[in-house]
PDB file of all heavy atoms in Angstrom:
ATOM      1  N   HIS A   9       1.572 -45.464  10.823  1.00 41.00           N
ATOM      2  CA  HIS A   9       1.079 -46.064   9.578  1.00 41.00           C
ATOM      3  C   HIS A   9       1.306 -45.123   8.420  1.00 41.00           C
ATOM      4  O   HIS A   9       1.718 -45.553   7.325  1.00 41.00           O
ATOM      5  CB  HIS A   9      -0.394 -46.399   9.716  1.00 41.00           C
ATOM      6  CG  HIS A   9      -0.998 -46.948   8.453  1.00 41.00           C
ATOM      7  ND1 HIS A   9      -0.698 -48.212   7.973  1.00 41.00           N
ATOM      8  CD2 HIS A   9      -1.868 -46.412   7.558  1.00 41.00           C
ATOM      9  CE1 HIS A   9      -1.352 -48.435   6.852  1.00 41.00           C
ATOM     10  NE2 HIS A   9      -2.069 -47.356   6.579  1.00 41.00           N
ATOM     11  N   LYS A 216       5.026   4.809  14.215  1.00 96.00           N
ATOM     12  CA  LYS A 216       6.255   5.414  13.664  1.00 96.00           C
ATOM     13  C   LYS A 216       7.387   5.334  14.683  1.00 96.00           C
ATOM     14  O   LYS A 216       8.538   5.109  14.311  1.00 96.00           O
ATOM     15  CB  LYS A 216       5.977   6.858  13.247  1.00 96.00           C
ATOM     16  CG  LYS A 216       5.095   6.985  12.022  1.00 96.00           C
ATOM     17  CD  LYS A 216       4.883   8.460  11.656  1.00 96.00           C
ATOM     18  CE  LYS A 216       4.070   8.598  10.374  1.00 96.00           C
ATOM     19  NZ  LYS A 216       3.848  10.037  10.000  1.00 96.00           N
ATOM     20  N   PHE A 217       7.055   5.517  15.949  1.00 96.00           N
ATOM     21  CA  PHE A 217       8.093   5.486  16.985  1.00 96.00           C
ATOM     22  C   PHE A 217       8.701   4.099  17.113  1.00 96.00           C
ATOM     23  O   PHE A 217       9.930   3.965  17.145  1.00 96.00           O
ATOM     24  CB  PHE A 217       7.493   5.928  18.333  1.00 96.00           C
ATOM     25  CG  PHE A 217       8.469   5.811  19.476  1.00 96.00           C
ATOM     26  CD1 PHE A 217       9.503   6.718  19.611  1.00 96.00           C
ATOM     27  CD2 PHE A 217       8.355   4.768  20.402  1.00 96.00           C
ATOM     28  CE1 PHE A 217      10.422   6.609  20.662  1.00 96.00           C
ATOM     29  CE2 PHE A 217       9.248   4.659  21.469  1.00 96.00           C
ATOM     30  CZ  PHE A 217      10.287   5.577  21.587  1.00 96.00           C
ATOM     31  N   PRO A 237     -30.026 -11.482   8.806  1.00 96.00           N
ATOM     32  CA  PRO A 237     -31.318 -12.111   9.092  1.00 96.00           C
ATOM     33  C   PRO A 237     -31.189 -13.091  10.267  1.00 96.00           C
ATOM     34  O   PRO A 237     -30.105 -13.548  10.609  1.00 96.00           O
ATOM     35  CB  PRO A 237     -31.642 -12.848   7.794  1.00 96.00           C
ATOM     36  CG  PRO A 237     -30.300 -13.167   7.216  1.00 96.00           C
ATOM     37  CD  PRO A 237     -29.417 -12.001   7.566  1.00 96.00           C
ATOM     38  N   ALA A 255     -12.414 -18.595  11.077  1.00 98.00           N
ATOM     39  CA  ALA A 255     -12.022 -17.741   9.949  1.00 98.00           C
ATOM     40  C   ALA A 255     -11.012 -16.688  10.392  1.00 98.00           C
ATOM     41  O   ALA A 255     -10.004 -16.451   9.720  1.00 98.00           O
ATOM     42  CB  ALA A 255     -13.252 -17.075   9.364  1.00 98.00           C
ATOM     43  N   ASP A 283     -29.679 -10.849  27.505  1.00 98.00           N
ATOM     44  CA  ASP A 283     -30.300  -9.947  26.564  1.00 98.00           C
ATOM     45  C   ASP A 283     -31.822 -10.178  26.579  1.00 98.00           C
ATOM     46  O   ASP A 283     -32.283 -11.220  26.107  1.00 98.00           O
ATOM     47  CB  ASP A 283     -29.772 -10.197  25.147  1.00 98.00           C
ATOM     48  CG  ASP A 283     -28.299  -9.808  24.987  1.00 98.00           C
ATOM     49  OD1 ASP A 283     -27.890  -8.784  25.551  1.00 98.00           O
ATOM     50  OD2 ASP A 283     -27.574 -10.547  24.313  1.00 98.00           O
ATOM     51  N   ASP A 289     -41.232  -2.154  17.098  1.00 94.00           N
ATOM     52  CA  ASP A 289     -41.693  -1.850  15.732  1.00 94.00           C
ATOM     53  C   ASP A 289     -42.174  -3.098  15.026  1.00 94.00           C
ATOM     54  O   ASP A 289     -41.908  -3.301  13.817  1.00 94.00           O
ATOM     55  CB  ASP A 289     -40.580  -1.164  14.945  1.00 94.00           C
ATOM     56  CG  ASP A 289     -40.112   0.121  15.565  1.00 94.00           C
ATOM     57  OD1 ASP A 289     -40.964   0.838  16.132  1.00 94.00           O
ATOM     58  OD2 ASP A 289     -38.903   0.430  15.508  1.00 94.00           O
TER      59      ASP A 289
END
Side-chain angles (χ1 to χ4, degrees):
H9 176 71
K216 289 181 177 180
F217 175 75
D283 292 320
D289 300 325

